[in-house]
Amino acid sequence: MATMKDIAKLAGVSTSTVSHVINQTRFVSEEISLRVNNAAKALNYYAPSALARSLKVNRTNTIGMLVTTSTNPFFGEVVKGVERNCYQQGYNLILCNTEGDNARMRDSINTLMQKRVDGFILMCSSLEGERIDVFERYPDVPVVVMDWGPMLFTKDKIQDNSLLGGYLATQHLIDNGHTNIGCITGPLIKYQAQMRYEGYKRAMLEKGLEFNADWIVESDFECEGGYHAFKTMSDRGRLPSAIFVSNDMMAMGMINAASELGIQVPEDLSIIGYDDVHIAKFMTPSLTTIHQPKYRLGEAAVDTLLRKLNHQSDQPEVVQLEPTLVVRKSVRNITDIETSEYANKK
């Protein structure tokens, strides 16, 4: 009966590489995997089934991920980072959409538990402030929570620095000469929406700029929400010269509403978004925004979960990734214009 050592000799690789290919415990290049599999086939080697292997080591090499369904491509870009890193680490990913429904979320968790997933990645805004009893019944199953705020159970967390992101966005508008600056926030019951709004307020306060309540509208992080938020702001009267919109999807809806009202971006109104989703650079005008490292968020979630599975970390971790400014075409610099107008008046 052939052994892994026999396969390694025929394929010209190490025994550990053969083990990784057959057991799918680590990413191995396609070329080497093909050599190993061909050697195994030639030697009539039969690998143990995944079920038998999982019973022996009490691992299924499977991760469950729960995501709130949304039209926002932000979620898809994060999932891509999760899926790619799972593949490279030799893990399978089972993805469940919760539709924002807590009952469906709990049912999905129970189903994944029955499938004996090794751990969970949660990206569900509905979790905020929730206690999930099922995780308390399985304290040894590691859970990583992505991007959302305080919860009633202690788990590892991956997030972006939304306070800094909101500050950078507003500071960029100020640096371009804007002093009348509005803000369309996400739902302020959500931690990330709160932090982006706090960043906006901090930048305004540092420069001694006044807040106009008519220029602050709370919305829902969706295109339709941005559209209606801008219509609401417009109905209140005079508009600011610039608006920080707390995510790119709302910014897109807002630009559509502005166009319907005959308002041009950035000639009449400057806009900065948040997230830097892939399509933001293909808008007209291309959207100046705050870049969230979405792919890295996904990678970091998997890395953190695997550290727990491999007992490399005992205490809950908070991994924070830093946002950066991406300058495109939706913000107009009005400093030179105001200086020119002042010179002409003199």
Side-chain angles (χ1 to χ4, degrees):
M1 180 178 176
T3 66
M4 287 191 183
K5 188 175 181 180
D6 298 326
I7 298 171
K9 185 176 180 180
L10 182 59
V13 298
S14 67
T15 305
S16 63
T17 298
V18 173
S19 176
H20 288 310
V21 172
I22 290 175
N23 295 313
Q24 298 181 355
T25 51
R26 194 184 71 188
F27 173 75
V28 179
S29 72
E30 186 176 346
E31 186 266 332
I32 293 177
S33 295
L34 183 61
R35 279 163 47 193
V36 169
N37 287 324
N38 286 341
K41 186 177 180 180
L43 294 170
N44 294 317
Y45 178 85
Y46 296 96
S49 70
L51 176 60
R53 209 163 47 239
S54 70
L55 291 173
K56 182 178 179 180
V57 303
N58 200 28
R59 288 275 188 94
T60 61
N61 275 36
T62 303
I63 292 172
M65 183 174 185
L66 275 66
V67 182
T68 300
T69 301
S70 171
T71 58
N72 192 342
F74 167 82
F75 292 97
E77 294 179 31
V78 173
V79 170
K80 182 178 180 181
V82 171
E83 192 279 331
R84 179 65 62 83
N85 202 13
C86 281
Y87 173 72
Q88 292 177 341
Q89 301 280 0
Y91 275 76
N92 299 307
L93 180 69
I94 300 177
L95 182 65
C96 297
N97 291 326
T98 68
E99 302 286 350
D101 184 326
N102 279 8
R104 181 168 174 177
M105 175 187 67
R106 292 170 188 275
D107 288 343
S108 295
I109 292 171
N110 284 322
T111 298
L112 291 170
M113 286 290 194
Q114 292 169 15
K115 292 184 179 295
R116 300 180 67 246
V117 297
D118 295 333
F120 284 87
I121 296 174
L122 307 182
M123 198 175 186
C124 306
S125 59
S126 55
L127 282 174
E128 200 162 332
E130 285 285 323
R131 181 181 297 281
I132 303 180
D133 298 335
V134 66
F135 290 134
E136 296 175 357
R137 297 201 301 271
Y138 299 93
D140 294 331
V141 178
V143 179
V144 173
V145 179
M146 297 189 66
D147 205 43
W148 302 102
M151 280 152 290
L152 300 179
F153 59 104
T154 303
K155 298 296 178 183
D156 298 280
K157 187 173 180 184
I158 314 296
Q159 65 184 21
D160 88 307
N161 188 343
S162 287
L163 177 67
L164 175 61
Y167 179 89
L168 290 174
T170 310
Q171 186 61 53
H172 180 66
L173 297 176
I174 294 170
D175 289 343
N176 279 274
H178 298 278
T179 55
N180 297 321
I181 302 172
C183 182
I184 295 180
T185 77
L188 292 175
I189 60 170
K190 305 300 183 187
Y191 181 76
Q192 300 302 327
Q194 291 176 16
M195 290 299 98
R196 292 173 195 182
Y197 182 44
E198 288 299 320
Y200 158 80
K201 291 193 292 184
R202 179 174 294 185
M204 295 285 283
L205 288 170
E206 279 187 6
K207 297 298 182 181
L209 301 179
E210 294 184 6
F211 295 91
N212 185 331
D214 290 341
W215 295 343
I216 300 173
V217 182
E218 183 179 356
S219 192
D220 62 0
F221 281 144
E222 300 292 342
C223 284
E224 291 81 1
Y227 176 93
H228 293 296
F230 185 70
K231 288 292 185 73
T232 297
M233 189 183 296
S234 179
D235 289 343
R236 292 174 178 174
R238 184 173 69 94
L239 289 169
S241 66
I243 300 176
F244 164 44
V245 189
S246 294
N247 82 339
D248 291 347
M249 298 303 286
M250 291 193 298
M252 293 175 194
M254 178 187 163
I255 289 173
N256 183 256
S259 177
E260 289 183 3
L261 295 172
I263 298 170
Q264 293 185 306
V265 177
E267 291 79 6
D268 303 320
L269 177 68
S270 290
I271 297 174
I272 187 168
Y274 200 111
D275 282 340
D276 191 27
V277 296
H278 181 67
I279 58 176
K281 62 183 175 183
F282 299 109
M283 296 169 55
T284 303
S286 58
L287 185 65
T288 295
T289 186
I290 299 298
H291 174 76
Q292 262 202 93
K294 299 167 287 300
Y295 192 86
R296 278 289 302 124
L297 284 169
E299 282 189 322
V302 175
D303 290 342
T304 302
L305 188 62
L306 294 187
R307 281 197 294 275
K308 283 293 186 293
L309 284 170
N310 295 324
H311 306 291
Q312 295 172 338
S313 174
D314 295 326
Q315 297 301 315
E317 296 182 50
V318 176
V319 179
Q320 182 164 274
L321 302 181
E322 300 302 317
T324 53
L325 174 69
V326 178
V327 177
R328 295 196 180 106
K329 302 293 185 182
S330 63
V331 174
R332 185 185 188 190
N333 189 316
I334 63 173
T335 305
D336 294 339
I337 297 172
E338 292 178 349
T339 301
S340 176
E341 288 176 350
Y342 175 75
N344 289 335
K345 288 179 181 178
K346 290 182 68 177

